[in-house]
Amino acid sequence: MTSGGTGQAEEQRGGVRTALAGLTTRGRSFLAAGIAAAVCAYVLGQVDLLRVGLLLAVLPLICATVLYRTRYRVTGSRRLSPARVPAGSEARVHLRMDNVSRLPTGLLMLQDRVPYVLGPRPRFVLDRVEAGGRREVSYRVRSDLRGRYPLGPLQLRLTDPFGMCELTRSFSTYDTLTVIPRVEPLPPVRLSGEAKGYGDGRQRSLALAGEDDVIPRGYRHGDDLRRVHWRLTARYGELMVRREEQPQRARCTVLLDTRGGAFLGAGPDSAFEWAVSGTASTLVHMLERGFSVRLLTDTGSSVPGEGTDGYAGASQESADAAGLMMDTLAVVDHSDGTGLSRAYDVLRGGNEGLLVAFLGDLDEEQATVLAKMRQRSGGAVAFLLDSETWVREASDVPGPSDGSGDRLRMLREAGWTAVEVPRGAVFADLWQEADRQRTGAAAAGGRTGGGGS
């Protein structure tokens, strides 16, 4: 039987030893009984008992030899639907077996290797597959934990009609199922205020052929005739078109705190998983609104292949950009870092537009670094998770507050819109709460300024 490139090679090396190793419990019992009967027949001098013993011993050997020497050409394929699935959702795996030989197969047992996190190992019994025939089966997998999980290799077990021998052959290929964080749809909010470079306060810039194109230029194929500058056309003797303005793309940086010491607990209901899910929801929401989005962690790293301005939204590449970011968040884990200075080094290059941060436990030093980050952004929103409170609430153990209110006050005094995240909170509600805080702060600032004038 040929079941892929590596399967055939293993079969050739195994030889008779492989065939004998494939004897089932029934086949080994027959072999042992036949040998015992032959020995008893020799001792007792019973010829009829010897014939019975030889029959019992030879039958499993014949089955193993015939099964081993039978050559089937079988191909298999696997298809995931979908290949990228949110945590807690199901994906379906479709398996297809094709008999490309001129001989029908015997009874086949099909088995696919899957990690225990995705569920039990699926097994299927395929009846006789005719020459050129095809069989298709499917099974479902589900995981509450993010990650990339290998599926495969696919295994086939070939057995004889008497159940005396089983031979296993493995295919060489496998696929990967990516379990991404849960993405929660967010309501549209302004999240504006004094920040520039995003929202309704977007700056406008000249957008023509390049930075040097600061005067009307010659007509190019595809230009709108309504942009033709007729006075300059008459002066230069050729069609000239006006320059025009278009909105500069808004920028947003989403900062995910992955410090191992900033989060306690583990599992799908932990504070860190909530932060990862909130990060994913924010990235998708901002891409849908047309922002240039960048994902940043406390280590200063971002998505591989991401430009300095992040991934552009509201374009044909926005879906691919969201997929790359989700793949990154699917495998993100705690870092060994203890501070946020590396992320600040990345941000201090210029105005980052809107900065949205998901933070764990903070001390005074890290609060100072965050205050500096606020100065490098047009607007800053922080979602602060007190992981110790999350752990206490999960175990129903009461305990005193650890001063998370002080950290919120420090961030707000630094200019952040800081929102505390209680256990089990709905991110969409906190998103609106952040907008209400920013609106209220802007209104209070306006009244203060008006009273002073």
Side-chain angles (χ1 to χ4, degrees), residues 400-411:
S401 175
D402 63 345
S404 59
D406 295 337
R407 294 192 292 271
L408 284 172
R409 178 180 53 81
M410 294 172 62
L411 291 177

PDB file of all heavy atoms in Angstrom, residues 400-411:
ATOM      1  N   PRO A 400      -8.694  42.554  50.432  1.00  0.00           N
ATOM      2  CA  PRO A 400      -8.687  44.012  50.350  1.00  0.00           C
ATOM      3  C   PRO A 400      -8.247  44.496  48.981  1.00  0.00           C
ATOM      4  O   PRO A 400      -7.561  43.798  48.245  1.00  0.00           O
ATOM      5  CB  PRO A 400      -7.667  44.412  51.435  1.00  0.00           C
ATOM      6  CG  PRO A 400      -6.753  43.222  51.516  1.00  0.00           C
ATOM      7  CD  PRO A 400      -7.604  42.021  51.244  1.00  0.00           C
ATOM      8  N   SER A 401      -8.639  45.706  48.662  1.00  0.00           N
ATOM      9  CA  SER A 401      -8.200  46.316  47.401  1.00  0.00           C
ATOM     10  C   SER A 401      -6.714  46.629  47.485  1.00  0.00           C
ATOM     11  O   SER A 401      -6.193  47.014  48.527  1.00  0.00           O
ATOM     12  CB  SER A 401      -9.007  47.587  47.135  1.00  0.00           C
ATOM     13  OG  SER A 401      -8.522  48.242  45.993  1.00  0.00           O
ATOM     14  N   ASP A 402      -6.021  46.482  46.393  1.00  0.00           N
ATOM     15  CA  ASP A 402      -4.568  46.659  46.388  1.00  0.00           C
ATOM     16  C   ASP A 402      -4.137  48.016  45.836  1.00  0.00           C
ATOM     17  O   ASP A 402      -2.996  48.197  45.438  1.00  0.00           O
ATOM     18  CB  ASP A 402      -3.910  45.539  45.586  1.00  0.00           C
ATOM     19  CG  ASP A 402      -4.331  45.568  44.136  1.00  0.00           C
ATOM     20  OD1 ASP A 402      -5.313  46.257  43.829  1.00  0.00           O
ATOM     21  OD2 ASP A 402      -3.666  44.909  43.306  1.00  0.00           O
ATOM     22  N   GLY A 403      -5.050  48.932  45.740  1.00  0.00           N
ATOM     23  CA  GLY A 403      -4.652  50.265  45.298  1.00  0.00           C
ATOM     24  C   GLY A 403      -4.730  50.464  43.807  1.00  0.00           C
ATOM     25  O   GLY A 403      -3.994  51.295  43.269  1.00  0.00           O
ATOM     26  N   SER A 404      -5.590  49.725  43.115  1.00  0.00           N
ATOM     27  CA  SER A 404      -5.727  49.945  41.673  1.00  0.00           C
ATOM     28  C   SER A 404      -6.264  51.332  41.387  1.00  0.00           C
ATOM     29  O   SER A 404      -6.000  51.912  40.334  1.00  0.00           O
ATOM     30  CB  SER A 404      -6.646  48.884  41.069  1.00  0.00           C
ATOM     31  OG  SER A 404      -7.940  48.928  41.679  1.00  0.00           O
ATOM     32  N   GLY A 405      -7.024  51.888  42.349  1.00  0.00           N
ATOM     33  CA  GLY A 405      -7.518  53.245  42.174  1.00  0.00           C
ATOM     34  C   GLY A 405      -6.392  54.258  42.100  1.00  0.00           C
ATOM     35  O   GLY A 405      -6.486  55.254  41.374  1.00  0.00           O
ATOM     36  N   ASP A 406      -5.317  54.027  42.830  1.00  0.00           N
ATOM     37  CA  ASP A 406      -4.170  54.932  42.765  1.00  0.00           C
ATOM     38  C   ASP A 406      -3.524  54.911  41.385  1.00  0.00           C
ATOM     39  O   ASP A 406      -3.111  55.947  40.862  1.00  0.00           O
ATOM     40  CB  ASP A 406      -3.142  54.548  43.827  1.00  0.00           C
ATOM     41  CG  ASP A 406      -3.680  54.742  45.242  1.00  0.00           C
ATOM     42  OD1 ASP A 406      -4.619  55.542  45.403  1.00  0.00           O
ATOM     43  OD2 ASP A 406      -3.170  54.072  46.160  1.00  0.00           O
ATOM     44  N   ARG A 407      -3.445  53.728  40.790  1.00  0.00           N
ATOM     45  CA  ARG A 407      -2.853  53.641  39.451  1.00  0.00           C
ATOM     46  C   ARG A 407      -3.738  54.321  38.413  1.00  0.00           C
ATOM     47  O   ARG A 407      -3.242  54.960  37.482  1.00  0.00           O
ATOM     48  CB  ARG A 407      -2.614  52.175  39.093  1.00  0.00           C
ATOM     49  CG  ARG A 407      -1.557  51.511  39.960  1.00  0.00           C
ATOM     50  CD  ARG A 407      -1.151  50.172  39.398  1.00  0.00           C
ATOM     51  NE  ARG A 407      -2.226  49.200  39.474  1.00  0.00           N
ATOM     52  CZ  ARG A 407      -2.441  48.408  40.514  1.00  0.00           C
ATOM     53  NH1 ARG A 407      -1.642  48.485  41.576  1.00  0.00           N
ATOM     54  NH2 ARG A 407      -3.421  47.543  40.525  1.00  0.00           N
ATOM     55  N   LEU A 408      -5.050  54.175  38.570  1.00  0.00           N
ATOM     56  CA  LEU A 408      -5.960  54.874  37.669  1.00  0.00           C
ATOM     57  C   LEU A 408      -5.785  56.385  37.796  1.00  0.00           C
ATOM     58  O   LEU A 408      -5.748  57.113  36.796  1.00  0.00           O
ATOM     59  CB  LEU A 408      -7.405  54.483  37.974  1.00  0.00           C
ATOM     60  CG  LEU A 408      -7.878  53.109  37.502  1.00  0.00           C
ATOM     61  CD1 LEU A 408      -9.266  52.823  38.051  1.00  0.00           C
ATOM     62  CD2 LEU A 408      -7.900  53.030  35.991  1.00  0.00           C
ATOM     63  N   ARG A 409      -5.672  56.861  39.029  1.00  0.00           N
ATOM     64  CA  ARG A 409      -5.501  58.300  39.246  1.00  0.00           C
ATOM     65  C   ARG A 409      -4.190  58.788  38.624  1.00  0.00           C
ATOM     66  O   ARG A 409      -4.156  59.864  38.005  1.00  0.00           O
ATOM     67  CB  ARG A 409      -5.529  58.589  40.740  1.00  0.00           C
ATOM     68  CG  ARG A 409      -5.301  60.054  41.083  1.00  0.00           C
ATOM     69  CD  ARG A 409      -5.335  60.254  42.594  1.00  0.00           C
ATOM     70  NE  ARG A 409      -4.405  59.343  43.253  1.00  0.00           N
ATOM     71  CZ  ARG A 409      -3.093  59.559  43.348  1.00  0.00           C
ATOM     72  NH1 ARG A 409      -2.557  60.651  42.812  1.00  0.00           N
ATOM     73  NH2 ARG A 409      -2.319  58.702  43.985  1.00  0.00           N
ATOM     74  N   MET A 410      -3.122  58.012  38.770  1.00  0.00           N
ATOM     75  CA  MET A 410      -1.834  58.419  38.201  1.00  0.00           C
ATOM     76  C   MET A 410      -1.911  58.521  36.683  1.00  0.00           C
ATOM     77  O   MET A 410      -1.386  59.465  36.075  1.00  0.00           O
ATOM     78  CB  MET A 410      -0.758  57.414  38.616  1.00  0.00           C
ATOM     79  CG  MET A 410      -0.466  57.405  40.111  1.00  0.00           C
ATOM     80  SD  MET A 410       0.637  56.050  40.598  1.00  0.00           S
ATOM     81  CE  MET A 410       2.099  56.473  39.654  1.00  0.00           C
ATOM     82  N   LEU A 411      -2.592  57.566  36.049  1.00  0.00           N
ATOM     83  CA  LEU A 411      -2.711  57.600  34.590  1.00  0.00           C
ATOM     84  C   LEU A 411      -3.570  58.776  34.137  1.00  0.00           C
ATOM     85  O   LEU A 411      -3.250  59.452  33.138  1.00  0.00           O
ATOM     86  CB  LEU A 411      -3.297  56.283  34.081  1.00  0.00           C
ATOM     87  CG  LEU A 411      -2.408  55.040  34.197  1.00  0.00           C
ATOM     88  CD1 LEU A 411      -3.152  53.801  33.713  1.00  0.00           C
ATOM     89  CD2 LEU A 411      -1.121  55.210  33.405  1.00  0.00           C
TER      90      LEU A 411
END
